[in-house]
Amino acid sequence: MLNGLRHNEVALLAHIIAMRLKFNRYNPLFIVFCGLLSSGVSAQAVPLAVPLVVPESTFKTLGRITGDTLNQRLMDQHSIVRVQLADPQAQIAPETPLVVFRQGIRLKGPGGETLGVLAIPVARARTLSRQTAALEIAHPDQPGVAWMHIQSLQQEVMRGDSVMAQDAAKQLESPPCTPPADSPAKAAQVLALVSQADMLSANGDLVAISGGCANGMTPGATVTLWRPATKTYGRKLDQPVEDRRNNATSVFEDNPAIAPNQTPTHRVGTGTVLASYPDTAIVRIQNISQAVQPGDLVRLLTTKTRP
């Protein structure tokens, strides 16, 4: 039965079995079955691609996926996908390699400055050949529109995803980083989680941070992640008499029976820099003790062991 399945179907089935195994971890049958599937698809596994930080002006000009011939909400490798180009007169050459990006989020630094758009690659595709386009599409030469086949998936492809030529995407990868020797380090912090569906990030996840090459965040560098101090309030134990003017509507700072305090800053984990841009970087989280979240502080391990 397994020999008759295509590689992408086997990979999808392996993912379903793995999710089933999460809730049946003590079932030996699932363990053996997943081992058989993994041996058949290991050669076809697609490594996790590192997100790009794209200038906002460039991201606005990318083509957008508007649907496919089967009118699916989620598109797979069997779908012929329609791409609406930003230029109504533009066309993409047949069999051009493409990269599909999930709708990015705007990255803003600690001071409110715009650092770029986080573009998360979810699939690789290729425009149809002339022969396939003539057979499958009624008007294959329509200007401002491109048709493509998805070749490999990391996440599901949806309407609204952006499309960029593979050669153009390679030019936007992180440039070589040579940090300035005499530049004072700026405060760096977690800006966004690559997985936009989660509010907290776990071990192995990717996050975008501020600072980048200007802070010495070179690819391969190890960083530490810190939870900043948080203001809290506690009732004073040595207050013999409470002010009768205080009531439920009193502001904490105006209530003498309430003592403002701060939780101590503490380390929540470490990470490795995967890609470094001038003012931002992509980090893979490792060895966490608490879930990482936006706003956590980031320090180089070699220069900072405590806040």
Side-chain angles (χ1 to χ4, degrees):
M1 179 183 69
L2 293 178
N3 293 335
L5 294 175
R6 288 185 291 271
H7 285 292
N8 61 321
E9 294 174 337
V10 175
L12 178 60
L13 185 58
H15 177 71
I16 295 173
I17 296 300
M19 293 301 294
R20 179 67 177 171
L21 180 60
K22 181 177 181 181
F23 301 100
N24 298 272
R25 60 183 66 184
Y26 299 109
N27 192 329
L29 178 61
F30 278 98
I31 296 176
V32 174
F33 195 37
C34 284
L36 293 174
L37 288 177
S38 62
S39 63
V41 300
S42 59
Q44 299 293 325
V46 180
L48 179 64
V50 178
L52 301 180
V53 179
V54 181
E56 188 171 359
S57 57
T58 301
F59 197 83
K60 290 180 178 179
T61 64
L62 300 182
R64 295 292 178 87
I65 291 177
T66 57
D68 66 344
T69 54
L70 299 179
N71 197 28
Q72 297 171 307
R73 292 180 61 88
L74 303 179
M75 305 165 201
D76 55 23
Q77 290 174 317
H78 302 286
S79 304
I80 298 179
V81 181
R82 183 183 188 275
V83 180
Q84 182 69 48
L85 304 179
D87 185 352
Q89 300 301 322
Q91 289 183 315
I92 302 180
E95 300 189 68
T96 299
L98 304 173
V99 182
V100 181
F101 292 97
R102 180 59 25 89
Q103 178 68 30
I105 59 175
R106 185 181 292 107
L107 298 178
K108 287 188 175 294
E113 67 278 11
T114 300
L115 304 178
V117 175
L118 182 64
I120 304 171
V122 296
R124 293 188 180 275
R126 186 180 294 270
T127 53
L128 301 182
S129 65
R130 292 189 182 278
Q131 180 179 4
T132 303
L135 291 174
E136 300 289 345
I137 308 302
H139 303 286
D141 296 326
Q142 179 182 357
V145 175
W147 295 89
M148 68 180 193
H149 261 139
I150 300 173
Q151 294 186 311
S152 62
L153 291 167
Q154 293 177 354
Q155 297 182 32
E156 70 282 356
V157 174
M158 301 186 299
R159 297 173 185 172
D161 287 347
S162 300
V163 176
M164 181 187 298
Q166 184 173 308
D167 292 341
K170 289 188 69 66
Q171 296 179 3
L172 292 173
E173 293 178 355
S174 59
C177 173
T178 304
D182 55 350
S183 177
K186 301 178 181 178
Q189 66 182 41
V190 176
L191 299 177
L193 311 180
V194 170
S195 177
Q196 300 178 41
D198 299 326
M199 296 300 295
L200 303 176
S201 195
N203 213 15
D205 288 346
L206 304 181
V207 296
I209 67 171
S210 63
C213 186
N215 269 27
M217 306 289 183
T218 57
T222 300
V223 298
T224 55
L225 303 166
W226 298 81
R227 182 63 39 79
T230 304
K231 192 172 185 179
T232 60
Y233 298 91
R235 182 170 296 276
K236 290 182 178 179
L237 300 179
D238 58 349
Q239 189 74 15
V241 179
E242 294 186 358
D243 192 336
R244 294 182 181 274
R245 293 173 298 178
N246 294 331
N247 52 46
T249 61
S250 298
V251 181
F252 282 147
E253 287 81 353
D254 297 337
N255 192 336
I258 300 297
N261 202 348
Q262 279 192 333
T263 60
T265 302
H266 57 282
R267 191 166 74 170
V268 297
T270 60
T272 302
V273 178
L274 299 183
S276 182
Y277 294 85
D279 296 313
T280 186
I282 305 297
V283 172
R284 185 185 301 279
I285 300 173
Q286 298 172 337
N287 304 323
I288 64 170
S289 58
Q290 294 183 28
V292 177
Q293 60 189 26
D296 285 346
L297 306 178
V298 182
R299 298 288 186 268
L300 278 173
L301 181 62
T302 56
T303 59
K304 191 75 173 178
T305 59
R306 66 186 183 200

